Amino acid sequence: MTATVTSERTDAHSLPAGPEWWRTAVIYQIYPRSFADSSGDGIGDLPGVTEHLEDLADLGIDAIWLSPFQLSPQKDAGYDVADYCDVDPLFGTLDDFDDLLAASHGRGIRIIVDLVPNHSSDQHVWFQQAIASAPGSRERARYMFRDGKGENGELPPNNWESVFGGPAWTRLVEADGTPGQWYLHLFDSSQPDFDWSNEEVREEFRRILRFWLDRGVDGFRVDVAHGLVKAEGLPDYTPDPDAGSMGGEEANVPYWGQPGVHDVYRDWHALVAEYAGDRALCAEAWLPTPEKTALWVRPDEMHQAFNFAYLETEWDAAALRSVITESLDAYAAVGAPSTWVLSNHDVVRHASRLALTAENPQGHGIGPDSPGKPIPEVGLRRARAATTLMLALPGSAYLYQGEELGLPEVIDIPGEARQDPTWFRTDGERYGRDGCRVPLPWTTGGPAYGFSDSGASWLPQPAEWATLAREAQVGDPSSTLTLYRGLLAARKARALGAGVLDWIDAGDDVLAFRNGNVTVVANLGTAPIALPDGIVIAASGPVEGATLPTDTAVWLADD
Ligand code: NOJ
């Protein structure tokens, strides 16, 4: 194999020096369709991101994770890829991508891109060839085609369910019009699963990795990184109906976390290591515990994995202390950093989620008919405290666009405006993820709150976007944006990402620890507590006198 070394383009960029940047980086997730629309079609795009890079540099992030922008029929908002090496015209062109990468690198911001290896779109040329070819052909062998059960193959090959609801198998009508084989899709029927036991699939993804590495990307966020390899014989499995929106919290699932998946990442680790510049792989793997997830970041596999155990922990001091300790131990045991994350495009935004009650767990999204809606003030207060806590933890942290504005989940999206396949596949029984994907507000007024000059927006924006817009928050000392800026600056100045955490015992409803010369205290109880000595360098809410109010977190410095 010929080693491809760093392109000139990358060398020309002025990225901050320092080995293994991903160990401590704050990485900002951009969901391009909802970030900023430069073309006026109501869907955000790559030039829209480039136009706002200065705002991101001002926020103080180290890197961007770009959710999919590759060619796609958009049945699952781009997670159904038809061509892995081209940009969907909705989002721009490859030149727009190169411009964005160069402009980001010029500001010292790295870019990792989403890679979707578990499945393609049914419009991918390989799947089109597969359905036009005979059972048993080389073309079909790239996907998971099987004969059905029952006398005439009329029953699916097993009982697996799609993560989005409904069966995980769809039956083909063969070219001659007769009912044919079934194909597996762990997600929507438009997202057929690849067969990763096929060397041709492995080779194709090596090519795709190289395509983006050669362009100069700093790494990949790997979609469904626990799902590529399925258990031998595809045994039946009935999922827990209460599992979260992406499943994966259960143990021993025949399509999640199969041992064979690790070979793929060892292979990719070696490939990525051929490139100069510390490129990183981050696993999106929904697994039950940090110990399990740490298997994805052993020294010869990926570099990071999302800490979903942390994201899924309720607003409870004991539960948080335990998941933080467990995470730091589990990842340190394999020499990897822990990551921390509170929101992304698949879960209820944490400014709403942290105020959900037991009667209304986040489950599969929240909507107009969900019981016990979160109280916005409580949600925002807790979200600010949770982020203040998170950004003091050693390791790398992921932010999801809009959380720096304190955006809540949008609950009142009418059924006819919803777009998540989950909503359609469950006949509206599950609301799905549209509520966290509503286009961002940049300005307090004007068309689409500055998201799009034409006023178009692919999901309706609520009236409260006016007060939450970035424009309303810049320069306001009490705004969530100002809080995030301050936290990121202090985190960097005091190297908290590279620090060590030492717990302080401070009572049942309190989380307190030291990291370097900073003491972090979060009050999760219902009554104010005494504030320890120190200079307040960041606070998630008003701190007056010597007490710390409920749902508030603070950073105190010795000097
Ligand atoms: C995880 C992605 O984050 C989600 O948005 C997508 O629907 C599924 N994987 C399927 O690709």
Side-chain angles (χ1 to χ4, degrees), residues 17 35 88 99 141 157 164-165 197 200 335 339 379 450 471 514 525 556:
F35 188 74
D88 195 293
D99 289 348
F164 294 156
S197 68
E200 207 184 342
T339 63
E471 183 185 44
R514 291 277 291 174
L556 302 159

PDB file of all heavy atoms in Angstrom, residues 17 35 88 99 141 157 164-165 197 200 335 339 379 450 471 514 525 556:
ATOM      1  N   ALA A  17      -0.067  24.061  17.054  1.00  0.00           N
ATOM      2  CA  ALA A  17       0.810  22.898  17.188  1.00  0.00           C
ATOM      3  C   ALA A  17       0.361  22.088  18.398  1.00  0.00           C
ATOM      4  O   ALA A  17      -0.561  22.479  19.107  1.00  0.00           O
ATOM      5  CB  ALA A  17       2.234  23.375  17.370  1.00  0.00           C
ATOM      6  N   PHE A  35     -27.801  25.342  10.259  1.00  0.00           N
ATOM      7  CA  PHE A  35     -26.842  26.312  10.794  1.00  0.00           C
ATOM      8  C   PHE A  35     -27.036  27.698  10.156  1.00  0.00           C
ATOM      9  O   PHE A  35     -27.439  28.636  10.840  1.00  0.00           O
ATOM     10  CB  PHE A  35     -25.419  25.793  10.596  1.00  0.00           C
ATOM     11  CG  PHE A  35     -24.376  26.620  11.284  1.00  0.00           C
ATOM     12  CD1 PHE A  35     -24.234  26.565  12.662  1.00  0.00           C
ATOM     13  CD2 PHE A  35     -23.540  27.454  10.571  1.00  0.00           C
ATOM     14  CE1 PHE A  35     -23.282  27.353  13.314  1.00  0.00           C
ATOM     15  CE2 PHE A  35     -22.583  28.234  11.203  1.00  0.00           C
ATOM     16  CZ  PHE A  35     -22.456  28.178  12.581  1.00  0.00           C
ATOM     17  N   ASP A  88     -23.594  17.307  -1.608  1.00  0.00           N
ATOM     18  CA  ASP A  88     -24.957  17.441  -2.112  1.00  0.00           C
ATOM     19  C   ASP A  88     -25.169  18.888  -2.552  1.00  0.00           C
ATOM     20  O   ASP A  88     -24.820  19.815  -1.805  1.00  0.00           O
ATOM     21  CB  ASP A  88     -25.965  17.085  -1.002  1.00  0.00           C
ATOM     22  CG  ASP A  88     -27.348  16.860  -1.570  1.00  0.00           C
ATOM     23  OD1 ASP A  88     -27.967  17.832  -2.062  1.00  0.00           O
ATOM     24  OD2 ASP A  88     -27.811  15.712  -1.541  1.00  0.00           O
ATOM     25  N   ASP A  99     -13.047  25.489   0.481  1.00  0.00           N
ATOM     26  CA  ASP A  99     -12.962  26.870   0.991  1.00  0.00           C
ATOM     27  C   ASP A  99     -13.215  26.897   2.496  1.00  0.00           C
ATOM     28  O   ASP A  99     -12.513  27.592   3.246  1.00  0.00           O
ATOM     29  CB  ASP A  99     -14.011  27.772   0.317  1.00  0.00           C
ATOM     30  CG  ASP A  99     -13.663  28.032  -1.137  1.00  0.00           C
ATOM     31  OD1 ASP A  99     -12.531  27.721  -1.542  1.00  0.00           O
ATOM     32  OD2 ASP A  99     -14.551  28.523  -1.872  1.00  0.00           O
ATOM     33  N   ALA A 141     -23.919  -9.048  -2.787  1.00  0.00           N
ATOM     34  CA  ALA A 141     -23.070  -9.420  -1.638  1.00  0.00           C
ATOM     35  C   ALA A 141     -22.499  -8.213  -0.901  1.00  0.00           C
ATOM     36  O   ALA A 141     -21.895  -8.339   0.152  1.00  0.00           O
ATOM     37  CB  ALA A 141     -21.938 -10.326  -2.108  1.00  0.00           C
ATOM     38  N   PRO A 157     -36.365 -12.497   7.345  1.00  0.00           N
ATOM     39  CA  PRO A 157     -35.363 -13.471   7.798  1.00  0.00           C
ATOM     40  C   PRO A 157     -35.238 -13.568   9.318  1.00  0.00           C
ATOM     41  O   PRO A 157     -34.825 -14.596   9.840  1.00  0.00           O
ATOM     42  CB  PRO A 157     -34.068 -12.970   7.168  1.00  0.00           C
ATOM     43  CG  PRO A 157     -34.517 -12.173   5.986  1.00  0.00           C
ATOM     44  CD  PRO A 157     -35.809 -11.547   6.366  1.00  0.00           C
ATOM     45  N   PHE A 164     -35.711   3.179  13.955  1.00  0.00           N
ATOM     46  CA  PHE A 164     -36.730   4.218  13.737  1.00  0.00           C
ATOM     47  C   PHE A 164     -38.151   3.669  13.865  1.00  0.00           C
ATOM     48  O   PHE A 164     -39.114   4.376  13.572  1.00  0.00           O
ATOM     49  CB  PHE A 164     -36.575   4.838  12.342  1.00  0.00           C
ATOM     50  CG  PHE A 164     -35.304   5.611  12.123  1.00  0.00           C
ATOM     51  CD1 PHE A 164     -34.805   5.791  10.833  1.00  0.00           C
ATOM     52  CD2 PHE A 164     -34.609   6.184  13.183  1.00  0.00           C
ATOM     53  CE1 PHE A 164     -33.646   6.525  10.607  1.00  0.00           C
ATOM     54  CE2 PHE A 164     -33.445   6.908  12.970  1.00  0.00           C
ATOM     55  CZ  PHE A 164     -32.965   7.077  11.677  1.00  0.00           C
ATOM     56  N   GLY A 165     -38.300   2.404  14.257  1.00  0.00           N
ATOM     57  CA  GLY A 165     -39.623   1.794  14.361  1.00  0.00           C
ATOM     58  C   GLY A 165     -39.932   0.960  13.121  1.00  0.00           C
ATOM     59  O   GLY A 165     -39.383   1.180  12.046  1.00  0.00           O
ATOM     60  N   SER A 197     -18.596  -8.117   6.130  1.00  0.00           N
ATOM     61  CA  SER A 197     -17.722  -9.284   5.995  1.00  0.00           C
ATOM     62  C   SER A 197     -17.166  -9.344   4.571  1.00  0.00           C
ATOM     63  O   SER A 197     -16.338 -10.188   4.245  1.00  0.00           O
ATOM     64  CB  SER A 197     -18.489 -10.578   6.337  1.00  0.00           C
ATOM     65  OG  SER A 197     -19.472 -10.810   5.356  1.00  0.00           O
ATOM     66  N   GLU A 200     -14.751  -6.185  -0.384  1.00  0.00           N
ATOM     67  CA  GLU A 200     -14.964  -5.082  -1.324  1.00  0.00           C
ATOM     68  C   GLU A 200     -15.514  -3.843  -0.593  1.00  0.00           C
ATOM     69  O   GLU A 200     -15.171  -2.708  -0.928  1.00  0.00           O
ATOM     70  CB  GLU A 200     -15.955  -5.545  -2.400  1.00  0.00           C
ATOM     71  CG  GLU A 200     -15.768  -4.833  -3.701  1.00  0.00           C
ATOM     72  CD  GLU A 200     -16.816  -5.208  -4.742  1.00  0.00           C
ATOM     73  OE1 GLU A 200     -17.485  -6.251  -4.601  1.00  0.00           O
ATOM     74  OE2 GLU A 200     -16.955  -4.413  -5.688  1.00  0.00           O
ATOM     75  N   GLY A 335      -5.813   4.272  27.933  1.00  0.00           N
ATOM     76  CA  GLY A 335      -4.942   5.364  27.472  1.00  0.00           C
ATOM     77  C   GLY A 335      -5.648   6.404  26.625  1.00  0.00           C
ATOM     78  O   GLY A 335      -5.008   7.184  25.911  1.00  0.00           O
ATOM     79  N   THR A 339     -14.548  11.686  26.562  1.00  0.00           N
ATOM     80  CA  THR A 339     -15.237  12.834  25.967  1.00  0.00           C
ATOM     81  C   THR A 339     -16.436  13.131  26.841  1.00  0.00           C
ATOM     82  O   THR A 339     -16.855  12.294  27.643  1.00  0.00           O
ATOM     83  CB  THR A 339     -15.741  12.551  24.544  1.00  0.00           C
ATOM     84  OG1 THR A 339     -16.710  11.507  24.608  1.00  0.00           O
ATOM     85  CG2 THR A 339     -14.617  12.175  23.612  1.00  0.00           C
ATOM     86  N   GLY A 379     -35.143  24.196  33.002  1.00  0.00           N
ATOM     87  CA  GLY A 379     -34.277  23.529  32.024  1.00  0.00           C
ATOM     88  C   GLY A 379     -33.045  24.357  31.719  1.00  0.00           C
ATOM     89  O   GLY A 379     -31.915  23.849  31.709  1.00  0.00           O
ATOM     90  N   GLY A 450     -32.400  35.623  10.700  1.00  0.00           N
ATOM     91  CA  GLY A 450     -31.030  35.656  10.195  1.00  0.00           C
ATOM     92  C   GLY A 450     -30.527  34.318   9.686  1.00  0.00           C
ATOM     93  O   GLY A 450     -29.409  34.231   9.189  1.00  0.00           O
ATOM     94  N   GLU A 471     -27.608  37.587  18.181  1.00  0.00           N
ATOM     95  CA  GLU A 471     -27.515  39.049  18.237  1.00  0.00           C
ATOM     96  C   GLU A 471     -27.950  39.597  19.603  1.00  0.00           C
ATOM     97  O   GLU A 471     -27.371  40.562  20.109  1.00  0.00           O
ATOM     98  CB  GLU A 471     -28.418  39.631  17.142  1.00  0.00           C
ATOM     99  CG  GLU A 471     -28.374  41.120  17.013  1.00  0.00           C
ATOM    100  CD  GLU A 471     -29.394  41.624  15.983  1.00  0.00           C
ATOM    101  OE1 GLU A 471     -30.550  41.155  15.987  1.00  0.00           O
ATOM    102  OE2 GLU A 471     -29.018  42.486  15.179  1.00  0.00           O
ATOM    103  N   ARG A 514     -11.653  19.365  42.352  1.00  0.00           N
ATOM    104  CA  ARG A 514     -10.543  20.232  41.969  1.00  0.00           C
ATOM    105  C   ARG A 514     -10.032  19.765  40.621  1.00  0.00           C
ATOM    106  O   ARG A 514      -9.959  18.568  40.343  1.00  0.00           O
ATOM    107  CB  ARG A 514      -9.386  20.102  42.973  1.00  0.00           C
ATOM    108  CG  ARG A 514      -9.664  20.661  44.333  1.00  0.00           C
ATOM    109  CD  ARG A 514      -9.450  22.148  44.405  1.00  0.00           C
ATOM    110  NE  ARG A 514      -8.049  22.551  44.292  1.00  0.00           N
ATOM    111  CZ  ARG A 514      -7.668  23.831  44.225  1.00  0.00           C
ATOM    112  NH1 ARG A 514      -8.563  24.803  44.242  1.00  0.00           N
ATOM    113  NH2 ARG A 514      -6.385  24.133  44.142  1.00  0.00           N
ATOM    114  N   GLY A 525     -29.085  20.389  44.593  1.00  0.00           N
ATOM    115  CA  GLY A 525     -30.153  20.236  45.586  1.00  0.00           C
ATOM    116  C   GLY A 525     -31.189  21.339  45.470  1.00  0.00           C
ATOM    117  O   GLY A 525     -31.133  22.186  44.572  1.00  0.00           O
ATOM    118  N   LEU A 556     -14.109  28.333  40.920  1.00  0.00           N
ATOM    119  CA  LEU A 556     -13.406  29.225  41.849  1.00  0.00           C
ATOM    120  C   LEU A 556     -11.906  29.007  41.667  1.00  0.00           C
ATOM    121  O   LEU A 556     -11.439  27.861  41.659  1.00  0.00           O
ATOM    122  CB  LEU A 556     -13.774  28.873  43.291  1.00  0.00           C
ATOM    123  CG  LEU A 556     -15.274  28.947  43.646  1.00  0.00           C
ATOM    124  CD1 LEU A 556     -15.575  28.111  44.874  1.00  0.00           C
ATOM    125  CD2 LEU A 556     -15.677  30.385  43.874  1.00  0.00           C
TER     126      LEU A 556
END
